[in-house]
Amino acid sequence: MITIAPSVLAADPLAMKSAVVALGDDVRLLHLDVMDGRFVPNVTYGPGLGKALCGLDLAPVEAHLMVEDPERHIPYWAGTGVFRLIVHAEATWDLLRTIQRIHGAGFQAGVAINPATPFAPLLEVLHAADLLLFMTVSPGFGGQELVPSVLEKLRRFDAATGGRHPPVEVDGGVGPAEVDAVVGAGARVLVAGSAIFGSADPAAALREMTRRAEAAVRTSATAGE
Ligand code: DX5
Ligand code: ZN
């Protein structure tokens, strides 16, 4: 299964609802980038937008918490309808306890690492995390170029785990041209902001990226990946 997750960070903030609704019925997951101005030099949204997006009843919503001490934020997402909280391994002193607290609060738990962060912490939470997010740009802003070294890191991770790990998500600089490379490296959830909302027809861009990604998965499967 492959999923393209539009990142609303790239949508027009003054037309967020119409931008998301315009994606049509093909959207399977929405990605909400939450930034605190400390873990990353940008400030964006909070639980209120998560609740509003879930209220549209268009697709499941995950929150990518680019925040320091993410465990402090967990309770404020209760009742929003967001189903997954993704925290950065770099942002918490006790990653396993944070995952347990996320689960205890009723959410799925994702763990993210930045491009220059080794994947070693992920090896210690394979049993606990529901999703692993390999940032393919330095977090904080959309519209950046994918950092190619992350794909090599992802291949090393896949080899180190024998392919036995939670689903991998990539986030940042992913457009149609990057689909084959990221799927070939093992990603199965592709976050895309600019490539979707920056296109003239976001619904068509979403369908095209989904088509390419599904074809890339089939190619990987026949190559006996
Ligand atoms: C960056 C965010 C990404 C970003 C992706 O910190 O985590 O989700 O919005 O946007 P594009 O696809 O434009 O790089
Ligand atoms: Zn993100």
Side-chain angles (χ1 to χ4, degrees):
M1 173 74 172
I2 191 90
T3 302
I4 307 295
S7 164
V8 302
L9 184 66
D12 176 352
L14 298 181
M16 180 80 74
K17 177 178 179 179
S18 56
V20 169
V21 169
L23 292 173
D25 298 335
D26 293 320
V27 58
R28 297 175 185 158
L29 175 63
L30 285 173
H31 183 85
L32 180 63
D33 286 310
V34 180
M35 304 182 191
D36 67 355
R38 305 241 341 153
F39 183 71
V40 292
N42 195 358
V43 179
T44 56
Y45 321 110
L49 185 59
K51 186 179 178 91
L53 288 172
C54 292
L56 294 175
D57 207 16
L58 287 171
V61 179
E62 65 178 13
H64 176 192
L65 302 183
M66 289 164 273
V67 301
E68 287 188 351
D69 300 328
E71 54 270 32
R72 286 185 304 116
H73 290 252
I74 298 168
Y76 299 99
W77 290 89
T80 60
V82 167
F83 82 103
R84 177 156 61 214
L85 300 182
I86 302 169
V87 299
H88 273 260
E90 305 94 340
T92 173
W93 291 111
D94 190 332
L95 182 55
L96 186 56
R97 181 180 63 190
T98 300
I99 292 171
Q100 290 164 343
R101 286 186 172 176
I102 291 172
H103 285 154
F107 301 97
Q108 279 195 21
V111 178
I113 53 171
N114 288 336
T117 302
F119 61 70
L122 302 184
L123 299 178
E124 308 309 327
V125 293
L126 292 178
H127 64 288
D130 301 294
L131 174 113
L132 303 175
L133 169 50
F134 282 67
M135 286 303 294
T136 37
V137 296
S138 289
F141 300 93
Q144 301 177 74
E145 291 292 315
L146 179 143
V147 176
S149 61
V150 177
L151 302 184
E152 192 275 330
K153 178 170 81 171
L154 187 41
R155 286 194 187 87
R156 281 188 282 113
F157 168 77
D158 200 56
T161 57
R164 290 178 300 280
H165 53 72
V168 166
E169 177 170 308
V170 289
D171 182 7
V174 178
E178 290 73 27
V179 166
D180 288 351
V182 298
V183 171
R188 292 295 178 267
V189 182
L190 282 50
V191 175
S194 311
I196 301 286
F197 291 109
S199 75
D201 184 342
L206 175 59
R207 284 194 301 271
E208 174 58 14
M209 278 192 73
T210 303
R211 186 194 65 75
R212 287 190 185 210
E214 288 171 344
V217 168
R218 287 193 297 271
T219 303
S220 294
T222 44
E225 179 194 63

